[in-house]
Amino acid sequence: MKLRSGALGGLAAIVALVLTGIVYNLLPVRGSDHQDSPTTVARPGADITDVFVYPAASPSNVVLQMDVDPLLAPGGPTTTAALDPQVLYQFKIAHGAPGVEDTVIQFLPTGAGTGQSINVYGPFKPTTTGTTNTVGTPVGSVPFNATGGVTLSNGLKVFIGPRSDPFFFDLFAFFKFLPDRNYKTPGTSAPAGTPFSFNFTPTEIAANPAFASCLVGTPTDALSSNHFNVLSIVVEAPRSLIAPSTGSSKINVWATTSTTTGS
Amino acid sequence: MRQALISFAAIYALGIGVVSCGSSSTTTPPVITPSGSFIQIERLARPAVKELFQAFANHDGTNRISPAQQPLSGQTLYQEIGSFTTNVAGRDAAHAATLQAILIPDEVSADLSQPGTGSYLGVETGGATAADKDTFGGRTLADNVIDISLGAVFGNTLSALGLIPDDGKESPCLTTQNVPQQNAADNVTTTFPYVGAPH
């Protein structure tokens, strides 16, 4: 457990563990997109927390990453979590018309639990776009949590398994002025007089006149500092597999999860 | 629900003929493809857009539509970006309209012809969101997406970019969450799969 102040030592470690328990058990939270609807709260394996698109170590490659299954506490919850075998996971990539996918990469687990494998489909042009989809022709299959990744015949390198949640957010402050956004208190407004402010230290406020009316408090990252984990679907692909074949090299990406029942 | 999942999975696994394989090798595709349609229940691109602008009760509806659902201005999220920006954030109408135009349809944009290191909203802002003027865009694991978003909604990011005049209605106490990424070395690695091992 990394601490910003080594002098605090074991006490801080104990406090951090206790805080983790409090956060996990008493105040389920949403961050970037963690626990953002009743549907995804009921089916955490389909709950997409974040989508990332970034250059790979090799300049000719690009990485697409989707994180799901939020707030996995270290230990048991992390070591037993696996993708939901009823869920189709998709990256959708638009080259032309905004919001209309030209290319998809799909993942469909076979089997429940950490012994599962995940079939990979694409990238390919889907026969239908929008919110009802079918799977394509499988490219290959990867075992869950193959740490070094699996390279498929089309050049995709895939890892699917538990990873550290890199998202960071002072959602304790956020929920004070927007309590509706906590799924446990939907429809709730902040009490009258609640300052719309994140937390600032007296030193920061003194140093910047613009912060004069801001809330005095301790800024806290509720997610990464508590060592929550997620399940990551990480795909490294040759850019040529993802980029449009002609014209602009811009891509627009989103991720979806789907079930055969819509629930 | 868990019981139902397990039953379904058992049947499904038997039917499809799972191909198990070792890591770091090319694998044999499964021979049977499942038939039938899958219905979208969750959608995400840019971080914290629903969370900031949209009432919780409306998230499920947004999750179930295409980002291109027409008319874009009919999307609930589009409307709530407008109402939140003017009514809660206290910005002017031009500010709200600009945010609507940037954020809908909801997608993460990246320019694969660019060699940069990546930066959230780097494409949309011409590189203004990163110190190195990165125009690859996308979103990296280390990007402070909350601060970038707060700057656009509550700060002067949009006027600094020349997109709209400064309405003089910034909220300095909401322009930064005031926390850096904790344990960054644990979260970001230089080699595949790039995101740190679980704790």
Side-chain angles (χ1 to χ4, degrees), chain A residues 93 103-106 120-125 139 154 156 237 241-242:
Chain A
I93 304 160
T103 299
V104 297
I105 306 174
Q106 303 172 324
V120 182
Y121 309 81
F124 71 98
K125 185 174 180 58
V139 176
N154 63 354
L156 289 188
L241 265 185
I242 304 295

Side-chain angles (χ1 to χ4, degrees), chain A residues 32 36 39 48 50 53 86 99 108 133 164 166 170 180-181 199 204 214 236 251-253 255 257 259 262, chain B residues 5 12 30 38-42 44 51-52 56 59-60 64 107-110 139 173 177-178 181 187 194:
Chain A
S32 172
D36 80 311
T39 305
I48 306 169
D50 285 286
V53 181
Q86 275 195 313
L108 190 61
N133 303 125
S164 175
D170 188 349
D180 167 75
R181 305 309 197 256
N199 292 303
E204 289 168 335
C214 299
E236 179 169 343
I251 60 170
N252 295 300
V253 180
T257 55
T259 65
Chain B
L5 287 181
Y12 187 60
F38 289 83
I39 301 159
Q40 180 180 310
I41 61 171
E42 159 80 313
L44 183 66
E51 283 60 33
L52 179 61
F56 183 81
H59 289 189
D60 195 54
R64 291 175 180 274
E107 309 169 304
V108 175
S109 297
R139 177 189 173 189
C173 304
Q177 61 170 329
N178 204 27
Q181 186 174 39
N187 290 320
Y194 304 108

Side-chain angles (χ1 to χ4, degrees), chain A residues 95-220:
Chain A
H95 302 152
V100 180
E101 61 269 35
D102 296 287
T103 299
V104 297
I105 306 174
Q106 303 172 324
F107 307 86
L108 190 61
T110 57
T114 57
Q116 68 184 185
S117 290
I118 300 96
N119 288 344
V120 182
Y121 309 81
F124 71 98
K125 185 174 180 58
T127 53
T128 58
T129 61
T131 58
T132 300
N133 303 125
T134 55
V135 299
T137 302
V139 176
S141 178
V142 300
F144 183 77
N145 203 19
T147 310
V150 175
T151 301
L152 302 174
S153 57
N154 63 354
L156 289 188
K157 188 174 184 178
V158 179
F159 167 83
I160 300 171
R163 304 309 280 180
S164 175
D165 186 350
F167 186 69
F168 54 110
F169 188 21
D170 188 349
L171 52 86
F172 297 123
F174 181 67
F175 284 156
K176 279 185 182 174
F177 59 83
L178 278 175
D180 167 75
R181 305 309 197 256
N182 184 337
Y183 89 86
K184 290 226 155 183
T185 55
T188 304
S189 300
T194 301
F196 271 54
S197 176
F198 285 96
N199 292 303
F200 297 85
T201 66
T203 304
E204 289 168 335
I205 291 173
N208 188 340
F211 292 159
S213 62
C214 299
L215 189 62
V216 178
T218 304
T220 306

Side-chain angles (χ1 to χ4, degrees), chain B residues 6-179:
Chain B
I6 292 167
S7 301
F8 177 90
I11 295 166
Y12 187 60
L14 286 172
I16 198 169
V18 177
V19 177
S20 185
C21 49
S23 62
S24 300
S25 62
T26 299
T27 58
T28 305
V31 293
I32 300 174
T33 296
S35 59
S37 295
F38 289 83
I39 301 159
Q40 180 180 310
I41 61 171
E42 159 80 313
R43 171 171 63 89
L44 183 66
R46 294 191 185 93
V49 174
K50 267 174 290 188
E51 283 60 33
L52 179 61
F53 294 105
Q54 186 159 47
F56 183 81
N58 295 331
H59 289 189
D60 195 54
T62 295
N63 286 339
R64 291 175 180 274
I65 66 170
S66 159
Q69 180 166 296
Q70 300 292 325
L72 295 179
S73 61
Q75 292 188 19
T76 308
L77 180 57
Y78 180 101
Q79 295 165 356
E80 290 185 273
I81 290 171
S83 58
F84 182 94
T85 302
T86 53
N87 299 338
V88 181
R91 311 308 298 258
D92 67 12
H95 197 108
T98 303
L99 287 175
Q100 288 169 321
I102 292 173
L103 297 176
I104 302 292
D106 185 16
E107 309 169 304
V108 175
S109 297
D111 188 342
L112 300 185
S113 70
Q114 299 298 309
T117 54
S119 64
Y120 180 56
L121 296 181
V123 169
E124 293 89 333
T125 63
T129 53
D132 63 358
K133 305 299 181 190
D134 171 89
T135 51
F136 175 94
R139 177 189 173 189
T140 76
L141 299 170
D143 284 340
N144 192 335
V145 294
I146 296 297
D147 273 15
I148 292 171
S149 302
L150 292 171
V153 178
F154 299 105
N156 64 1
T157 302
L158 300 184
S159 56
L161 289 170
L163 297 175
I164 48 174
D166 188 347
D167 64 2
K169 296 176 179 176
E170 287 83 12
S171 299
C173 304
L174 294 172
T175 54
T176 174
Q177 61 170 329
N178 204 27
V179 287

